[in-house]
Amino acid sequence: MQSGIAIVQHFYDEAKAGKMSEDQAKENAKEAIRAIRYNDDEGGYIWIDDVNGDLIMHPILPEQEGTNRMELTDVNGVKILENILKTANAGGGFNTFVFTKSDGVTEAEKTAYSQKFDGWNWVLTSGCYIDDVQAGMDNSRIDNLFSKGMIAISIEIVILIAIMIAITILIVKKLTKSLNTINNGLAKLSVGNMHIEFDSKLLRKKNEIGNMANNTLQAVAQLSDMIKQGIDISQNVTDSSEQMMSASHSATETIDQISTAIEGVASDASDQAGAINTMMDNVTSMENGTNEIHKAVTEISTCAASLSDGSANMRKHLEAMQNGSNEMTTQVNNIAAQIAETNRTISKVSDILGTIEEIASQTSLLSLNASIEAARAGESGKGFAVVAESIKSLSENTSKELESINDIINNLVTDFRECTECIDKVVQSNSESIKDSTEVIASFKKLDEEITLTDSKAATISTVIARTITEIDNISKQVKNIGQVAENSAAASEEVNASVEELRALMQTMDNHSTVLNEQAESLNDKMGAFTIA
């Protein structure tokens, strides 16, 4: 039956390959099967039905070819073809039924084997009459042949087993030697030694062991390159983190200097406010003295001596006020110098922040390269991917904090610019005040000289006193303006100091991040150092 199926398959393949038509292939297959005979009397043959019960080919009953035999039934009521088709559709097998022999008269029990060919939906069947098989069977001869065959088979099996054992031992030894060589290389790799070499004979083998050895060397080479890149990157990260830490420390020192300078400005502003209060007291005293002079003028004939004393006192107060104005001018100039120095320091801080921002940008690029290399490393690069992600997060946070610091510095520059403008106004007003004070002192000197003169000069003195009162009122207003400027300067100093404190906190945060990054980079360097690369 297997021979018959093979023949049909051959012609089926020929048709599929286009070497002949399907009809021609079927016809050739039928004729080839028709010619098959077996048994001593050549009474064994194969016939073909399709799955619908139509007879395709029968070498003994060619006249029935093309007829449907689904209703074919033996003397016992067994549906012969129906059972054959069921067995074939189930995967093939045996059926037993009663059928008429070739003499057309004798009916005997027959056992048939059927198998389906799916390509054409054919069912091939062949059978033998049981009584013919029994009639031609010599049991004693069969037993003898069976015994001899079993002995021969047993000897052959023993020999084959011995040969197979010997071959297996030889193959296992060769495999074990090769696997031990590869295992030794992997053992060196497990302790970080990347210098692995295999024998050239092993590498030239065209089997799984040779492939394994070559693949191992390729994997080690790729891993070695990755580790080299990882070592370079980790070293770069360490250098960058150290630079960031150094820049952070320098920035912190600069901020401390700014804070000290601002505290000096605030102290000077407080001193200025005290001087202004003293000036207000002096102005008040001057107003009182002027009133005394006015009274003295009205009673000049009787109070000349008192007027002279009051004039002397007024001159002293004006000289004190002039000295206070000069001192205030000095203090205001000092404040302006401190503000200019602070602006230069802020400019340096801006330059430092630019450097830090460049470092943050380089760190972000390094983190991107580290992520790419970690992705290439696959599973073994997960730990490095975590470090790369931490570096990226630190870079982003540093950039955000630098933006905040830039905003604070811009606000500082604006505030100092306004403070400088106010100081210029104070200097201008103070200069005018000193000029006026000088004129008042000169007037009082003249008044002292004219007090000794006749009472006829009283009207002139009264006029001078009236003008002096007006100038004192102007001085009082200017002093109030100066006081307001001093208060604004003190408030601006406090705001600048608060901004500097925020900047110091941000730089401390950056310093902490730089320390963590440096520790992580050093840890990565230690881990990378465990590998020995050729």
Side-chain angles (χ1 to χ4, degrees):
M1 186 57 63
Q2 293 302 322
S3 299
I5 292 294
I7 291 172
V8 175
Q9 181 70 51
H10 167 73
F11 287 106
Y12 176 82
D13 293 339
E14 291 285 305
K16 287 297 182 181
K19 296 181 179 180
M20 62 181 68
S21 66
E22 187 174 22
D23 290 340
Q24 183 63 43
K26 287 181 178 180
E27 189 64 31
N28 292 344
K30 288 193 296 183
E31 295 306 315
I33 297 299
R34 190 189 303 274
I36 291 178
R37 292 291 187 274
Y38 62 91
N39 289 340
D40 294 338
D41 60 355
E42 296 186 354
Y45 56 87
I46 299 174
W47 76 87
I48 305 173
D49 299 288
D50 64 13
V51 294
N52 297 319
D54 293 333
L55 181 61
I56 301 300
M57 187 281 300
H58 199 296
I60 306 302
L61 302 173
E63 68 278 0
Q64 295 185 15
E65 292 178 3
T67 62
N68 188 282
R69 302 194 301 166
M70 284 294 292
E71 300 300 325
L72 181 62
T73 306
D74 69 0
V75 295
N76 297 321
V78 175
K79 296 231 181 235
I80 299 173
L81 196 58
E82 184 176 332
N83 290 340
I84 287 175
L85 296 179
K86 287 181 180 180
T87 301
N89 287 326
F94 292 94
N95 285 287
T96 301
F97 49 86
V98 177
F99 203 73
T100 304
K101 290 186 174 184
S102 58
D103 58 9
V105 177
T106 305
E107 290 184 349
E109 192 173 24
K110 187 173 186 178
T111 296
Y113 181 86
S114 303
Q115 188 169 338
K116 180 181 177 182
F117 178 73
D118 293 323
W120 287 333
N121 286 325
W122 282 3
V123 176
L124 280 67
T125 308
S126 181
C128 296
Y129 290 101
I130 295 175
D131 58 350
D132 291 341
V133 175
Q134 291 175 345
M137 184 181 300
D138 184 352
N139 291 333
S140 61
R141 180 171 172 268
I142 291 175
D143 291 339
N144 186 33
L145 291 174
F146 179 77
S147 297
K148 292 180 179 180
M150 288 300 297
I151 292 172
I153 290 172
S154 298
I155 294 172
E156 291 175 356
I157 290 174
V158 170
I159 294 172
L160 288 174
I161 290 173
I163 294 173
M164 290 180 66
I165 290 174
I167 294 172
T168 301
I169 291 173
L170 180 61
I171 293 173
V172 167
K173 285 183 177 180
K174 290 184 178 180
L175 289 175
T176 302
K177 182 179 179 181
S178 300
L179 291 175
N180 285 335
T181 301
I182 296 174
N183 184 58
N184 292 333
L186 295 175
K188 293 171 63 178
L189 179 62
S190 67
V191 296
N193 188 354
M194 308 296 292
H195 186 63
I196 299 175
E197 294 181 352
F198 293 141
D199 186 78
S200 59
K201 293 181 179 180
L202 178 60
L203 297 175
R204 288 197 301 268
K205 289 184 178 181
K206 302 299 183 179
N207 53 20
E208 289 77 5
I209 299 299
N211 293 335
M212 183 186 300
N214 284 288
N215 293 334
T216 300
L217 290 181
Q218 291 178 3
V220 170
Q222 293 177 357
L223 181 59
S224 179
D225 292 339
M226 291 170 57
I227 290 173
K228 288 180 181 177
Q229 294 175 3
I231 292 173
D232 293 339
I233 291 172
S234 64
Q235 186 60 48
N236 291 335
V237 171
T238 301
D239 296 340
S240 298
S241 64
E242 290 177 353
Q243 292 175 2
M244 288 179 65
M245 289 176 64
S246 177
S248 176
H249 292 160
S250 299
T252 302
E253 293 175 358
T254 302
I255 290 169
D256 290 337
Q257 294 175 0
I258 293 173
S259 178
T260 302
I262 291 173
E263 289 177 357
V265 172
S267 177
D268 292 339
S270 299
D271 294 341
Q272 182 185 12
I276 290 171
N277 290 331
T278 302
M279 186 184 294
M280 288 294 295
D281 294 338
N282 293 334
V283 170
T284 302
S285 297
M286 187 171 62
E287 288 179 347
N288 294 332
T290 304
N291 291 329
E292 292 293 332
I293 293 172
H294 183 68
K295 290 178 182 180
V297 170
T298 61
E299 299 177 358
I300 191 170
S301 59
T302 59
C303 300
S306 299
L307 180 61
S308 179
D309 294 338
S311 177
N313 291 332
M314 182 63 69
R315 188 173 63 253
K316 291 179 180 179
H317 288 314
L318 287 173
E319 287 174 353
M321 183 181 70
Q322 190 176 38
N323 292 331
S325 296
N326 290 329
E327 181 66 20
M328 185 179 69
T329 300
T330 301
Q331 295 296 332
V332 168
N333 288 332
N334 291 335
I335 292 173
Q338 292 290 339
I339 291 175
E341 182 63 23
T342 302
N343 282 330
R344 288 192 291 272
T345 303
I346 290 174
S347 178
K348 293 179 180 179
V349 172
S350 297
D351 295 338
I352 292 172
L353 290 178
T355 301
I356 295 173
E357 186 173 5
E358 183 179 358
I359 292 171
S361 177
Q362 293 177 356
T363 304
S364 178
L365 181 60
L366 287 175
S367 69
L368 177 60
N369 292 334
S371 298
I372 293 173
E373 295 301 328
R376 291 180 178 176
E379 188 69 20
S380 61
K382 284 188 175 180
F384 191 65
V386 173
V387 176
E389 188 64 25
S390 298
I391 294 173
K392 179 180 179 183
S393 176
L394 173 60
S395 175
E396 293 175 350
N397 291 336
T398 302
S399 297
K400 293 180 181 177
E401 291 173 357
L402 288 176
E403 291 177 0
S404 300
I405 293 172
N406 282 327
D407 293 337
I408 292 171
I409 289 176
N410 291 332
N411 292 334
L412 284 175
V413 172
T414 301
D415 292 338
F416 279 126
R417 187 183 297 113
E418 294 176 356
C419 186
T420 302
E421 293 174 357
C422 292
I423 288 173
D424 292 337
K425 292 180 181 178
V426 170
V427 172
Q428 183 179 0
S429 298
N430 200 37
S431 297
E432 294 176 358
S433 176
I434 292 172
K435 181 180 180 182
D436 293 338
S437 298
T438 302
E439 293 177 359
V440 171
I441 291 173
S443 297
F444 272 97
K445 287 181 180 180
K446 184 178 180 181
L447 179 62
D448 288 336
E449 294 174 356
E450 292 182 352
I451 285 176
T452 59
L453 297 176
T454 184
D455 291 339
S456 62
K457 299 294 183 179
T460 303
I461 295 173
S462 178
T463 301
V464 172
I465 291 173
R467 188 179 65 184
T468 302
I469 292 173
T470 302
E471 290 176 351
I472 290 173
D473 184 60
N474 291 332
I475 290 172
S476 178
K477 292 179 181 179
Q478 291 173 358
V479 169
K480 289 181 181 179
N481 291 333
I482 292 172
Q484 184 64 41
V485 171
E487 291 178 358
N488 291 337
S489 178
S493 297
E494 292 178 356
E495 292 179 357
V496 171
N497 195 39
S499 299
V500 168
E501 290 299 326
E502 292 180 0
L503 182 59
R504 181 185 286 110
L506 290 174
M507 294 309 299
Q508 184 62 40
T509 301
M510 180 178 174
D511 188 48
N512 294 336
H513 287 323
S514 298
T515 301
V516 172
L517 176 61
N518 190 53
E519 291 175 354
Q520 292 176 347
E522 289 179 353
S523 176
L524 180 59
N525 277 333
D526 292 338
K527 292 179 179 179
M528 289 296 183
F531 292 96
T532 302
I533 301 176

